[in-house]
Amino acid sequence: MPSEPVAAGRYRPRAGAWGVLVGCVAASCAPAEPPAPVPHGFEMRPEPVPLEEPPTAAAAPAVPLRYPASRRPWLGVEVEDLPSGLPGVRIVRVLRGSPAAEAALQPGDELLSVGGTRLDAPSDLVQALGRFGLAADVPLSVKRGSEHRVFRATLRGQPQFEDLLRLAFVGLEAPTISGVVTFQGEAASLAELRGKVVLLEFWASWCEVCRYLAPVLGRWQRTYRPAGLEVVGVTIDPPDVAAKAAARAGMSYTLASDAGGDVTENYLASQIPAVFVIDRRGIIADVMVGVAQARLDEVHALVERLLDEREAGGARVHGG
């Protein structure tokens, strides 16, 4: 068992909101630590322009980072293309604790330029940010509704990928799961599992590390299912391919094919294995990317705590 997290590989994202997030499509991709490819260009901070209330996600608990940030300049936004012919990119998500959140940028804002560099595609954002160093104070031209405004952002180092997912999801309600084909087990949606603790795993037939993780998750399912644990695995592999791989790996829990990739995209699960820990209220308590014994121990302990909890008010951020 590796002592440091090992992510088996990355999905190749589809066009659209995935923006500039690209990665490996074969099991040969095996980074030695949680890598940090940007879900659609992440980077930013505030300026002396009228500051609006931060996005609704800011109401969720603060999420501490687990790993040292990289030296790559980071803004903290997920962006997508605008309709053909229109300049700029649309902000889809603003991560809590990011320079973008501090700048009061909001989902729906259209980012037109960074530091005077025009943006026409998500990849332009990453390139523009790469021209600046950490702590750079960068002007951002933004269209909000019918207004054109200028914000300023102080760039910071980009968090590792697991931390990006934790910033995006921990403390918030888990995205719905629909349109998948369940080829093993019964549950086809998270709504059916409300009231249970859920481990939602994203995996693939070619993922070597996923094959290691499968028996661990299967053992937890057998041990804790009577107490209310359900493990669900989701893959973009078609059902026939996934079923053969699952049989070889001895995967004994509920499995579903997300061949269209919509659920995988909604969870930004471009690196696998990725495991989302969801509490009885449907709130994401933690996210683990890759496999490391220390993280498995933490997730194991978290699952036991969540199983001991009954309907309790207030969201919690676990795993400090």
Side-chain angles (χ1 to χ4, degrees):
M1 163 69 71
S3 59
E4 295 297 325
V6 175
R10 308 176 194 168
Y11 288 130
R12 184 179 302 281
R14 301 178 299 151
W18 289 71
V20 298
L21 205 168
V22 296
C24 306
V25 291
S28 59
C29 299
E33 62 179 6
V38 183
H40 331 300
F42 278 65
E43 311 22 284
M44 201 146 148
R45 191 211 185 205
E47 68 112 41
V49 165
L51 294 179
E52 272 84 333
E53 289 296 315
T56 54
V63 178
L65 302 184
R66 290 184 170 277
Y67 307 102
S70 72
R71 300 289 299 173
R72 182 177 185 170
W74 181 64
L75 187 60
V77 293
E78 174 190 344
V79 299
E80 66 180 359
D81 291 305
L82 288 172
S84 178
L86 293 179
V89 293
R90 180 181 292 111
I91 295 176
V92 177
R93 188 193 313 256
V94 177
L95 294 193
R96 287 165 292 166
S98 68
E102 294 169 2
L105 293 183
Q106 299 175 2
D109 285 347
E110 296 177 10
L111 186 55
L112 305 179
S113 69
V114 172
T117 300
R118 171 176 162 150
L119 305 180
D120 291 307
S123 57
D124 293 341
L125 175 57
V126 173
Q127 293 174 7
L129 291 168
R131 298 188 179 101
F132 297 94
L134 299 185
D137 184 58
V138 180
L140 309 163
S141 176
V142 173
K143 181 181 179 184
R144 177 173 294 171
S146 60
E147 289 186 65
H148 284 78
R149 307 183 58 183
V150 176
F151 292 80
R152 303 198 71 86
T154 301
L155 305 183
R156 298 203 298 271
Q158 180 180 306
Q160 300 292 336
F161 187 72
E162 179 177 296
D163 279 331
L164 290 176
L165 291 189
R166 297 180 73 250
L167 288 170
F169 293 106
V170 168
L172 303 176
E173 186 171 357
T176 59
I177 294 180
S178 61
V180 298
V181 176
T182 302
F183 60 89
Q184 179 170 293
E186 298 177 357
S189 70
L190 289 179
E192 297 177 26
L193 299 176
R194 187 61 60 91
K196 297 180 180 292
V197 174
V198 178
L199 292 180
L200 179 61
E201 176 203 22
F202 289 89
W203 66 285
S205 59
W206 45 263
C207 172
E208 295 290 342
V209 177
C210 299
R211 293 183 194 132
Y212 174 84
L213 185 60
V216 176
L217 297 181
R219 184 167 63 251
W220 292 355
Q221 168 94 333
R222 291 190 298 273
T223 301
Y224 297 110
R225 192 172 195 181
L229 176 67
E230 288 291 338
V231 180
V232 178
V234 175
T235 177
I236 61 171
D237 290 321
D240 57 339
V241 173
K244 292 176 182 177
R248 290 194 300 270
M251 301 174 83
S252 56
Y253 38 90
T254 295
L255 298 172
S257 171
D258 174 37
D262 291 336
V263 173
T264 302
E265 182 171 334
N266 287 341
Y267 278 85
L268 301 179
S270 65
Q271 294 187 25
I272 54 172
V275 177
F276 291 73
V277 184
I278 304 171
D279 70 15
R280 295 181 186 274
R281 296 169 298 129
I283 303 300
I284 295 177
D286 201 1
V287 183
M288 179 182 74
V289 177
V291 175
Q293 188 59 57
R295 282 297 278 133
L296 281 174
D297 291 344
E298 290 171 353
V299 171
H300 188 188
L302 173 58
V303 166
E304 290 185 325
R305 291 200 301 274
L306 293 176
L307 288 171
D308 286 339
E309 293 176 1
R310 290 304 173 203
E311 301 292 337
R316 297 178 175 83
V317 173
H318 297 273

